[in-house]
Amino acid sequence: MAELIKIRLPDDSIREIKAGSSIAEIASMIGPGLGRAVVAGKVNGEIVDQRYALAEACDVVIITKRDFEALDVLRHSAAHLMAMAVQRLRPGVKLAFGPSVEDGFYYDFDLEEVFREDDFAAIEEEMMRIVRADLPFERYEATRDEARDILSGMGEVLKVQHLEDIPGDSVSFYRIGDFQDLCEGPHVKSSGEIKAFKLLKTSSAYWKGDASNPVLNRVYGTAFFDKKDLKKHLTLLAERKKRDHRRLGAELDLFSFQPEAPGMVFWHAKGALLYQDLLDYFRAGHEERGYQIVRTPIVMSEELWKRSGHYDHYKDSMFFVDTDEGRWALKPMNCPGHNLIYRSGVRSYRDLPLRLTEPGQVHRNEMSGVVSGLTRVRSFAIDDAHIYCTPGQLCDEIVGVMDFVLKTYRDFAFPEYEVELSTRPLTGSIGSDEMWENATDALKEALERRGGEYRINPGDGAFYGPKIDFHLKDSLNRRWQCGTIQVDFAMPERFDLEYVGADGDRHRPVMVHRAVFGSLERFIAVLLEHHAGKLPVWLSPVQVVVMNITDAQAEAAGSVKEQLVSAGLRCRLDVRNEKIGKKIREATLEKIPYMLVLGDREVEDGTVSVRERTDGDLGSSSVAEFTARVTQEISERR
RNA sequence: GCUAGCGUAGCUCAACGGUAGAGCACGGGUUUUGUAAACCCGAGGUUGUGGGUUCGAUUCCCACCGCUAGCUCCA
């Protein structure tokens, strides 16, 4: 008779089971429904196969299709499935890595002729064949030497290489039919569980992510437990594509890109208006919070960048200008310029905190392959500010910035966001250990004081200091890094920044770099996609179109337009010789919030017929009523 | 920068080794119209750029430029 062991379930209940029972057996024991839904398990926090046999007392969590970990398991298994199919179709293809990732999975292959999207159908078909065969995923362990022999025997040279990086004496393999792969797992029970999958794109990838290593061919796919979920995901992808800000930018005549300046934006009139709205918001918000708005040159001496440390770290992505007076650089950041302003006079502790800000145009010579729409450009404005303060003021300042950032997200209708604390990079950072520790502690303290959750992102800080990043979540379930707060003890040192304290001595201020929108360009991209181009009224380049039914009302329409313009609304007149249906259609496609229709009836009654872009006909009202309604919405930033 | 793909009218797309065609948009006219597309006519292209192959290239090949996806990068 087998020995009994005690396991603890998530509800803190304790159960006695026979030693050697598997996760699947325990699930069935708890309930038949759970037995059917089990995908994997978690033993003492570590995720394992449902076949995993428990040897001793432990904490057990049953993972079912509903848990997000289950999707990871499924997708990881789908990656194996794809690798197996690929090796059937193209014997000799070498395997690299095949993990699950957010939204799907990939596998990196080393092969002569790379896969293209045309090849997907054949691979998917082969995968389906394996799914129908319902082959079990079998795990077995091997010693390091055995593993080396097995992998060399299969010709998996990359796996043999990888074996060297795996710690421990024994490694695990997973076998599906005649296919096997070095892998930690866990996996689903059998290939039959992988019913809903699709291959999505190909890409290149460096072996182990290192650009000096050989290039591999990566195939991306996604998988779900349910065909319905897969379909939903594919619909979301289609929606993202439909809402692409580049498409919206062209359709709404906001901006364009030209080969004459790759990666730099040409703002058309309507886009420039939206841009100006952000600048207005920038100005009002900063004035309210005691910032001083400054302006610094775009081109400054190369020497300045050497002093700031940017040159060493980022010269490859800086633009330079050579003249007979030497070499100049286009600023990639605003901070050195602000430091020079700080140093332009003697600062007293009474001046601190000194908050300098500027929506400065910066230039970064990004590699050609990375520029993309408004989200990654070579010239953009950061709503950059630098706060110079005493160490004692640091925490208050950080909390103040956090409030500012979160208020801004609310104003722009982003209800969801995530906060991340990034610590010192392993390599290439400047400053002493003590400085880093102090800076990181200040950020942590501020986060604690303000409350709310945050995640720690080890090693992802800037080269001069740790930072808090704000990622806002858009309506298509994507995260965008916008706001950032970075503590910097290094730059004041390099620029020899000082203030005179109450004691009459000179002291070193602390510097905080921060941005709220981040890049205005990127923020506009996020805004457009988030709202699917239907910008809130206060941000709409055209807020109202006044249209007539026939020429008879043209004059009245013109006068209504004039009234709206004097009330401060952005208004356009459409008295073209077109049918009203067409005018409405065009204004709707342009996503203009309000349309006012004037026919004989309205002219006679002295009213306008109001139509909203989504809600349709709202009936008639007086011009004054309508104006009040819209100005109210604008003042509430709706 | 790397891998792959793409580049035909303002836009969306068609055709093709024998010097390009549609819809929308644009211009002119007719129509005076009631809540998402009236009708007629017209104009618009050295098919991204430069080379090569060919009797002939927009089509095939090469290079460059730009774009797209991903990799790497993102102060």
Side-chain angles (χ1 to χ4, degrees):
Chain A
M1 180 125 163
E3 182 194 348
L4 290 178
I5 55 172
K6 283 183 181 164
I7 59 165
R8 185 168 57 179
L9 297 170
D11 62 356
D12 267 342
S13 66
I14 306 281
R15 286 194 183 230
E16 287 212 322
I17 58 157
K18 281 186 213 150
S21 300
S22 70
I23 296 288
E25 284 163 351
I26 294 166
S28 300
M29 204 173 82
I30 297 170
L34 196 61
R36 280 192 296 277
V38 63
V39 175
K42 222 187 242 178
V43 173
N44 293 335
E46 199 165 314
I47 183 158
V48 297
D49 290 330
Q50 56 170 288
R51 285 202 180 80
Y52 182 87
L54 298 167
E56 52 197 36
C58 54
D59 287 340
V60 174
V61 180
I62 303 295
I63 294 178
T64 70
K65 292 176 185 181
R66 291 196 184 170
D67 297 306
F68 72 95
E69 291 103 330
L71 259 187
D72 273 346
V73 173
L74 178 80
R75 287 166 175 172
H76 186 186
S77 301
H80 276 236
L81 183 70
M82 176 171 76
M84 178 173 176
V86 161
Q87 288 200 328
R88 279 190 179 182
L89 294 169
R90 301 238 197 126
V93 168
K94 308 271 182 293
L95 304 181
F97 288 117
S100 76
V101 289
E102 195 174 356
D103 288 347
F105 63 87
Y106 68 79
Y107 216 116
D108 287 345
F109 304 112
D110 185 15
L111 69 175
E112 289 296 311
E113 195 188 336
V114 301
F115 286 115
R116 304 192 324 189
E117 300 199 359
D118 315 349
D119 299 308
F120 288 176
I123 302 174
E124 283 171 348
E125 204 175 302
E126 192 59 42
M127 287 169 75
M128 264 331 284
R129 212 163 287 156
I130 304 167
V131 168
R132 280 193 297 266
D134 198 16
L135 302 170
F137 276 73
E138 294 169 303
R139 180 191 174 97
Y140 69 91
E141 308 234 335
T143 65
R144 182 174 288 280
D145 290 337
E146 287 165 351
R148 192 177 300 112
D149 289 345
I150 295 167
L151 293 170
S152 320
M154 296 192 299
E156 294 291 0
V157 290
L158 296 173
K159 295 277 181 187
V160 173
Q161 257 185 56
H162 177 56
L163 196 59
E164 306 306 322
D165 295 342
I166 302 177
D169 298 327
S170 93
V171 294
S172 60
F173 280 80
Y174 276 82
R175 182 162 32 214
I176 326 171
D178 53 4
F179 170 83
Q180 57 181 347
D181 192 1
L182 175 71
C183 178
E184 252 195 307
H187 283 288
V188 295
K189 192 173 72 197
S190 72
S191 61
E193 296 191 28
I194 312 168
K195 289 192 180 85
F197 61 86
K198 186 161 176 58
L199 303 190
L200 293 174
K201 54 200 172 193
T202 64
S203 136
S204 72
Y206 301 111
W207 169 236
K208 302 219 165 192
D210 186 337
S212 58
N213 281 342
V215 170
L216 305 169
N217 180 212
R218 178 171 295 180
V219 178
Y220 281 92
T222 192
F224 290 88
F225 285 102
D226 203 310
K227 287 216 167 73
K228 271 204 311 242
D229 293 336
L230 173 63
K231 204 173 159 200
K232 223 164 77 190
H233 181 69
L234 296 178
T235 310
L236 179 71
L237 294 185
E239 181 64 19
R240 283 181 187 175
K241 207 168 172 184
K242 212 166 79 194
R243 288 198 192 186
D244 190 313
H245 70 277
R246 289 166 294 195
R247 174 196 286 258
L248 288 167
E251 282 172 4
L252 305 181
D253 194 22
L254 300 176
F255 56 84
S256 64
F257 289 92
Q258 309 295 340
E260 284 79 359
M264 309 202 199
V265 192
F266 289 74
W267 291 101
H268 299 14
K270 288 201 265 177
L273 211 47
L274 175 54
Y275 203 99
Q276 189 59 48
D277 282 342
L278 293 200
L279 287 175
D280 291 346
Y281 186 92
F282 164 90
R283 178 173 175 180
H286 285 83
E287 284 179 347
E288 210 173 281
R289 290 175 176 81
Y291 285 81
Q292 300 180 17
I293 299 176
V294 298
R295 276 172 76 84
T296 61
I298 288 185
V299 181
M300 289 177 270
S301 150
E302 185 186 55
E303 286 311 308
L304 178 65
W305 305 101
K306 289 186 171 159
R307 195 188 321 158
S308 69
H310 289 98
Y311 188 88
D312 285 343
H313 292 263
Y314 302 110
K315 61 173 176 299
D316 289 344
S317 30
M318 287 170 65
F319 287 105
F320 293 98
V321 184
D322 285 309
T323 71
D324 14 324
E325 284 180 85
R327 204 151 182 244
W328 305 77
L330 272 65
K331 66 176 171 187
M333 291 187 73
N334 295 306
C335 34
H338 293 179
N339 287 345
L340 296 182
I341 291 182
Y342 182 94
R343 278 206 333 183
S344 65
V346 177
R347 303 291 173 184
S348 148
Y349 72 98
R350 295 175 203 275
D351 298 326
L352 304 186
L354 181 70
R355 310 184 186 98
L356 301 183
T357 188
E358 151 173 37
Q361 195 72 21
V362 298
H363 291 78
R364 300 178 185 180
N365 193 7
E366 304 284 2
M367 288 188 298
S368 63
V370 308
V371 295
S372 169
L374 294 179
T375 54
R376 194 77 185 272
V377 285
R378 291 196 170 113
S379 172
F380 58 100
I382 336 179
D383 58 336
D384 213 357
H386 298 94
I387 302 172
Y388 304 86
C389 63
T390 67
Q393 294 168 328
L394 184 55
C395 197
D396 280 347
E397 288 304 306
I398 294 167
V399 171
V401 176
M402 288 177 70
D403 286 336
F404 192 177
V405 170
L406 299 179
K407 166 79 162 71
T408 302
Y409 289 0
R410 276 199 301 282
D411 282 344
F412 286 86
F414 294 103
E416 285 187 79
Y417 58 86
E418 286 170 7
V419 183
E420 219 169 72
L421 172 66
S422 297
T423 57
R424 184 174 196 168
L426 291 173
T427 55
S429 63
I430 57 179
S432 71
D433 290 351
E434 197 197 345
M435 284 174 172
W436 277 86
E437 207 171 298
N438 290 342
T440 310
D441 286 348
L443 288 173
K444 274 188 184 154
E445 196 193 326
L447 283 164
E448 300 298 338
R449 248 174 65 188
R450 187 147 202 309
E453 286 181 19
Y454 67 93
R455 218 167 44 139
I456 294 189
N457 209 349
D460 210 35
F463 73 88
Y464 47 73
K467 58 178 181 171
I468 294 173
D469 287 326
F470 298 83
H471 298 251
L472 55 81
K473 239 173 146 176
D474 72 9
S475 57
L476 297 168
N477 207 23
R478 288 170 305 190
R479 279 186 295 273
W480 300 92
Q481 200 244 291
C482 293
T484 183
I485 306 175
Q486 311 178 350
V487 180
D488 185 352
F489 288 90
M491 205 72 82
E493 201 80 43
R494 288 187 171 237
F495 279 81
D496 198 22
L497 305 183
E498 291 178 332
Y499 65 91
V500 180
D503 55 8
D505 288 340
R506 288 173 180 260
H507 301 275
R508 189 74 75 207
V510 182
M511 188 174 170
V512 177
H513 309 242
R514 49 106 281 192
V516 178
F517 294 137
S519 134
L520 267 69
E521 282 73 1
R522 178 180 289 184
F523 196 79
I524 288 176
V526 177
L527 259 183
L528 285 171
E529 299 194 2
H530 182 61
H531 294 287
K534 287 187 187 175
L535 292 168
V537 188
W538 70 287
L539 292 169
S540 289
V542 179
Q543 293 160 331
V544 190
V545 183
V546 182
M547 39 186 82
N548 59 336
I549 305 262
T550 72
D551 288 349
Q553 305 91 33
E555 208 174 305
S559 118
V560 167
K561 185 221 163 190
E562 287 314 317
Q563 289 174 60
L564 297 178
V565 168
S566 9
L569 299 182
R570 299 169 186 157
C571 188
R572 195 169 71 201
L573 187 61
D574 186 354
V575 289
R576 289 173 305 162
N577 177 11
E578 293 290 353
K579 297 181 74 157
I580 193 69
K582 177 158 187 165
K583 295 182 187 180
I584 286 172
R585 176 181 160 80
E586 288 182 1
T588 309
L589 290 175
E590 257 188 83
K591 305 182 201 299
I592 294 166
Y594 288 103
M595 291 157 252
L596 298 185
V597 179
L598 276 93
D600 282 338
R601 275 204 305 271
E602 285 74 18
V603 173
E604 210 165 294
D605 302 349
T607 61
V608 289
S609 174
V610 182
R611 187 184 166 95
E612 203 270 340
R613 63 185 158 191
T614 345
D615 299 340
D617 197 343
L618 301 181
S620 50
S621 76
S622 71
V623 175
E625 251 176 344
F626 172 77
T627 309
R629 171 194 170 121
V630 180
T631 31
Q632 171 83 9
E633 277 184 30
I634 290 170
S635 69
E636 288 172 9
R637 299 205 173 98
R638 279 196 276 145

